[in-house]
Amino acid sequence: MKSSLKNLRELILESIKVAGFESGLNEIQLAQTKTLEHGHFSTNIAMLLANKYGKRPQEVAESIKAELEKESVFTKVEIAGPGFINVLVEQNFYTTVCQAIVNSLDDYLEEELDLESNKKTVVIEYSSPNIAKPLGAHHLLSTIIGDSLAQLFRRYSYKVIAENYPGDMGTQFGKLIYAIRTWGDESTIEKEPIDELLKLYVRFHNEAEKDPSLEDFGRTEYKKFEEGDAENRKMWEKIVDWTFADIQPLYDRLGIRFDAVHGESFFEDKMEAVLKEGRSKGVFVDGEKGSWIVMPDDPKDPPALVKKSDGTTLYLTRDLAQVEFFEKEYHPDLMVWAVDVAQSFHFNQRFQVARKLKLTGAELKHVEFGRMQFKDGAMSTRKGNIIKLKEVLDEAVERSVALIEQKGAGLSDAEKQELARIMGIGAVKYNILHQNRVSNITFDWDQMLSMEGNSAPYLMYTVARAKSILRKAEIKVDDTEKYELSLNSSHETQVALGVIGFAEALKRAVEEFKPNHIANYLYHLAQSFNAFYNALPVLKAESKEKETRLLLIASVIQVMETAFGLLGLEVPEKM
Ligand code: ARG
């Protein structure tokens, strides 16, 4: 028998059948017990069945227990509380799992999570900054959360298409084109594109307050652009390129990459088809003054506007064209958008209309997240939600340098620089990813760069520690592949259980679109590991114990490195 939690669950299901119950389930819940006194895993299945059969839970549990006791993998079976069945699992099981993990985590996960049967395609849109504007806090959140989701789905065997959808349309371009021609200097813009463009934009607004006719000039330029005027098209292209010249280095520093970039403008010529389709299907009906609307499912909601009375299209219209494009281009099973909760009304409306139009059979998911809140004056110099990501990253790296100096481990200057980069960028990402995205995300320098708390530096320190033990033992992770576990201390067992919990954490993170399950998993594993490390010698231990501990350490490294990757964190070699 292969050792996996999946097998344990199947075994329990089998025992239930033999005991004479029909659970009707494909899978049962098997939770890790909080403390080891009550076994390693616990299931509430007897209580569920008792309900179904109108029997006493204890009685049901007793008959299942009798079957489970025949299985050698369970060394102890106990009934607890109102009818929980707790099982203690034999050592061999853990040995096989850890050996599989150090040998190939990929193969192990595939087996444990049945990934072969799960080959699906997902399109994930994230980041989607607005051209000629600094990144807003919500763009940073979307970028980091979306990238982590892309990693999670990749690890879950999905084919992932990471899409960026820059906001490169809108009347602000007419104003900018006018402002650049009137007051701008291209060589100055090239040096600090986003700052300069923002200045010009602000200037336009200030001047327009004094002389409202400027608004008309702006509108005229935009209209010319829309009608295909060559010079305005060219200027627009420049503005897009300048903006990306500013943003790309930030993506590079964050290690963010996309498979495709299809901005709003890409959908300009694809809306007509959607409009026609909606019309012919009778979904787009006449609204006021020649506009087109879609009636809502819930009569309390307002209708959705897809074409204005002046004939122009909307954000929603473009977003419908995007769904149609994703469907035709990728045939995905799932489409995901990592976008601010402030747009949830828009997304609901969009999904409703897309379904009415039958644009796709894919599942449509808005992964929403809350606001960024800045703690105790962190970033207080910034107004509103506009942040300068470059400054945040620079400061995070600087603060990491200070932290590393304090710790003072024997690193060369180059090593310190590299570590500060990994730690600083990692801290910013982890700070976002470890929080439950549905509530507001707090930005707190102290917490983010603490060596003790739930932070990237703490986790990095933990892996670096684990790695240094293997270095001192002069072995590599996969050298431990034949080692056997003999778990005698609860510290060791906790680490083994921690390692085994990874697959579940991954599954949950994917199913709920929540990277924080991986973060919290990592934090708990790091705590178990550090307790183990502080309590037990490794290199000086007797040979059997030494083998046990080295295999555990190697498993921890393997799992942590992978989990780091899921959060977009790099792994430091030394700290
Ligand atoms: N650019 C938009 C903004 O900054 C976000 C785009 C979200 N994606 C979408 N398909 N609507 O608010």
Side-chain angles (χ1 to χ4, degrees):
M1 183 189 95
K2 288 229 175 179
S3 288
S4 66
L5 285 181
K6 190 176 85 181
N7 288 130
L8 288 190
R9 284 197 215 93
E10 282 167 5
L11 213 55
I12 297 177
L13 265 183
E14 200 45 47
S15 304
I16 290 168
K17 234 189 243 153
V18 181
F21 299 102
E22 200 39 76
S23 71
L25 300 170
N26 297 323
E27 203 177 275
I28 59 154
Q29 296 288 339
L30 196 59
Q32 280 189 17
T33 52
K34 292 232 156 48
T35 55
L36 297 179
E37 304 141 50
H38 302 299
H40 300 160
F41 300 98
S42 173
T43 171
N44 62 356
I45 189 70
M47 280 126 88
L48 297 181
L49 291 173
N51 224 340
K52 184 170 165 185
Y53 285 88
K55 291 191 169 182
R56 282 193 325 110
Q58 264 86 0
E59 193 187 321
V60 176
E62 280 300 344
S63 48
I64 298 174
K65 176 178 178 236
E67 291 308 318
L68 290 176
E69 278 171 340
K70 294 179 191 156
E71 302 293 342
S72 59
V73 67
F74 301 121
T75 47
K76 196 161 130 198
V77 185
E78 267 181 3
I79 297 168
F84 287 103
I85 304 175
N86 296 336
V87 295
L88 207 85
V89 176
E90 62 154 353
Q91 307 253 356
N92 258 337
F93 174 84
Y94 295 105
T95 298
T96 325
V97 172
C98 286
Q99 287 178 342
I101 286 176
V102 295
N103 176 284
S104 162
L105 187 59
D106 272 343
D107 291 350
Y108 162 77
L109 288 175
E110 201 164 303
E111 162 84 23
E112 178 71 276
L113 297 169
D114 221 350
L115 298 178
E116 247 331 291
S117 63
N118 197 31
K119 294 261 179 265
K120 290 188 180 158
T121 300
V122 56
V123 187
I124 308 182
E125 184 216 291
Y126 54 96
S127 198
S128 308
N130 294 325
I131 297 302
K133 292 197 186 147
L135 287 183
H138 67 281
H139 296 114
L140 175 62
L141 297 182
S142 169
T143 306
I144 307 279
I145 293 170
D147 180 62
S148 177
L149 291 176
Q151 307 288 358
L152 283 164
F153 277 100
R154 273 189 205 110
R155 181 56 66 167
Y156 216 65
S157 278
Y158 275 58
K159 175 167 187 245
V160 175
I161 299 114
E163 279 266 356
N164 193 357
Y165 180 67
D168 56 2
M169 292 298 286
T171 47
Q172 77 271 21
F173 281 93
K175 299 174 186 176
L176 257 180
I177 290 172
Y178 178 86
I180 294 169
R181 291 219 181 102
T182 317
W183 310 294
D185 169 48
E186 296 199 7
S187 60
T188 320
I189 299 174
E190 262 161 36
K191 278 181 211 125
E192 295 275 359
I194 293 182
D195 281 358
E196 282 305 313
L197 291 172
L198 188 66
K199 269 188 215 156
L200 287 165
Y201 191 67
V202 169
R203 174 149 184 201
F204 181 93
H205 275 273
N206 292 340
E207 307 261 346
E209 260 172 37
K210 287 177 259 165
D211 175 6
S213 70
L214 249 60
E215 296 285 356
D216 286 333
F217 291 133
R219 264 192 289 276
T220 309
E221 295 303 340
Y222 192 63
K223 195 148 189 279
K224 272 164 69 186
F225 161 75
E226 280 198 310
E227 284 161 0
D229 174 84
E231 287 200 16
N232 281 11
R233 281 268 152 192
K234 225 180 176 165
M235 184 57 88
W236 169 84
E237 263 168 35
K238 277 190 187 169
I239 298 173
V240 174
D241 289 348
W242 283 326
T243 303
F244 267 98
D246 243 1
I247 294 179
Q248 192 54 46
L250 295 172
Y251 283 155
D252 292 344
R253 278 180 85 179
L254 289 168
I256 304 288
R257 54 161 210 88
F258 297 94
D259 298 302
V261 180
H262 292 106
E264 292 188 26
S265 63
F266 177 79
F267 298 95
E268 278 309 280
D269 62 0
K270 295 175 183 57
M271 280 183 284
E272 198 47 46
V274 177
L275 286 172
K276 264 201 195 135
E277 206 177 325
R279 211 49 193 179
S280 71
K281 287 183 177 161
V283 176
F284 296 174
V285 297
D286 289 330
E288 275 172 34
K289 297 187 201 136
S291 64
W292 288 1
I293 58 171
V294 183
M295 295 315 281
D297 288 345
D298 183 342
K300 285 195 286 295
D301 285 337
L305 187 61
V306 290
K307 192 164 111 176
K308 291 199 230 170
S309 51
D310 64 3
T312 52
T313 52
L314 296 102
Y315 184 51
L316 176 62
T317 330
R318 259 190 287 278
D319 263 355
L320 292 170
Q322 190 198 39
V323 171
E324 174 146 78
F325 171 75
F326 284 172
E327 172 59 33
K328 290 199 170 135
E329 189 76 7
Y330 308 122
H331 311 295
D333 301 281
L334 171 64
M335 301 185 196
V336 178
W337 289 268
V339 179
D340 194 341
V341 66
Q343 295 194 25
S344 67
F345 181 79
H346 164 79
F347 273 88
N348 280 335
Q349 210 171 41
R350 169 192 198 184
F351 293 168
Q352 247 184 49
V353 178
R355 268 181 221 112
K356 287 198 166 112
L357 290 172
K358 299 199 170 55
L359 291 182
T360 176
E363 183 193 340
L364 307 177
K365 173 79 186 172
H366 175 202
V367 171
E368 51 189 30
F369 46 80
R371 287 268 127 111
M372 180 95 112
Q373 285 174 331
F374 297 107
K375 194 166 174 194
D376 318 325
M379 315 296 302
S380 62
T381 51
R382 315 269 149 256
K383 287 201 260 165
N385 267 334
I386 301 297
I387 59 163
K388 289 210 173 158
L389 184 52
K390 184 179 176 305
E391 286 172 16
V392 175
L393 297 182
D394 289 348
E395 180 158 355
V397 174
E398 249 166 62
R399 285 177 185 249
S400 300
V401 171
L403 196 64
I404 293 163
E405 292 295 350
Q406 258 174 45
K407 276 250 155 197
L411 299 178
S412 73
D413 280 350
E415 282 172 335
K416 280 185 198 160
Q417 277 304 319
E418 176 62 357
L419 180 57
R421 183 189 65 77
I422 292 177
M423 219 156 91
I425 307 283
V428 171
K429 289 188 176 186
Y430 188 81
N431 176 59
I432 292 169
L433 294 173
H434 90 274
Q435 302 186 50
N436 185 350
R437 60 174 171 77
V438 260
S439 36
N440 285 347
I441 308 266
T442 309
F443 190 95
D444 174 356
W445 282 124
D446 292 332
Q447 207 264 324
M448 201 167 8
L449 285 162
S450 131
M451 275 286 186
E452 269 96 48
N454 187 359
S455 68
Y458 171 72
L459 297 176
M460 289 180 175
Y461 187 54
T462 306
V463 203
R465 217 173 191 189
K467 289 186 141 207
S468 103
I469 304 173
L470 288 203
R471 244 196 328 272
K472 283 185 195 138
E474 294 178 344
I475 56 168
K476 297 211 165 31
V477 166
D478 54 9
D479 291 334
T480 62
E481 178 189 344
K482 295 261 148 50
Y483 291 6
E484 306 252 327
L485 294 180
S486 125
L487 304 169
N488 292 315
S489 145
S490 63
H491 288 300
E492 294 166 339
T493 310
Q494 290 291 12
V495 172
L497 284 167
V499 165
I500 284 181
F502 180 55
E504 291 269 334
L506 172 59
K507 183 163 186 238
R508 226 177 136 198
V510 166
E511 283 176 353
E512 297 176 23
F513 303 89
K514 281 187 177 174
N516 67 317
H517 289 312
I518 296 294
N520 291 331
Y521 166 77
L522 268 172
Y523 182 49
H524 286 125
L525 179 63
Q527 285 179 312
S528 304
F529 175 81
N530 285 320
F532 154 90
Y533 176 90
N534 291 332
L536 306 170
V538 178
L539 301 173
K540 293 202 181 93
E542 295 301 321
S543 71
K544 217 167 154 200
E545 289 171 343
K546 189 170 164 186
E547 267 200 9
T548 296
R549 293 172 194 166
L550 287 173
L551 175 54
L552 288 174
I553 293 167
S555 308
V556 167
I557 295 172
Q558 188 88 324
V559 166
M560 281 189 93
E561 285 194 332
T562 297
F564 269 42
L566 298 174
L567 303 180
L569 309 183
E570 289 177 59
V571 183
E573 222 24 65
K574 282 194 216 163
M575 246 171 112

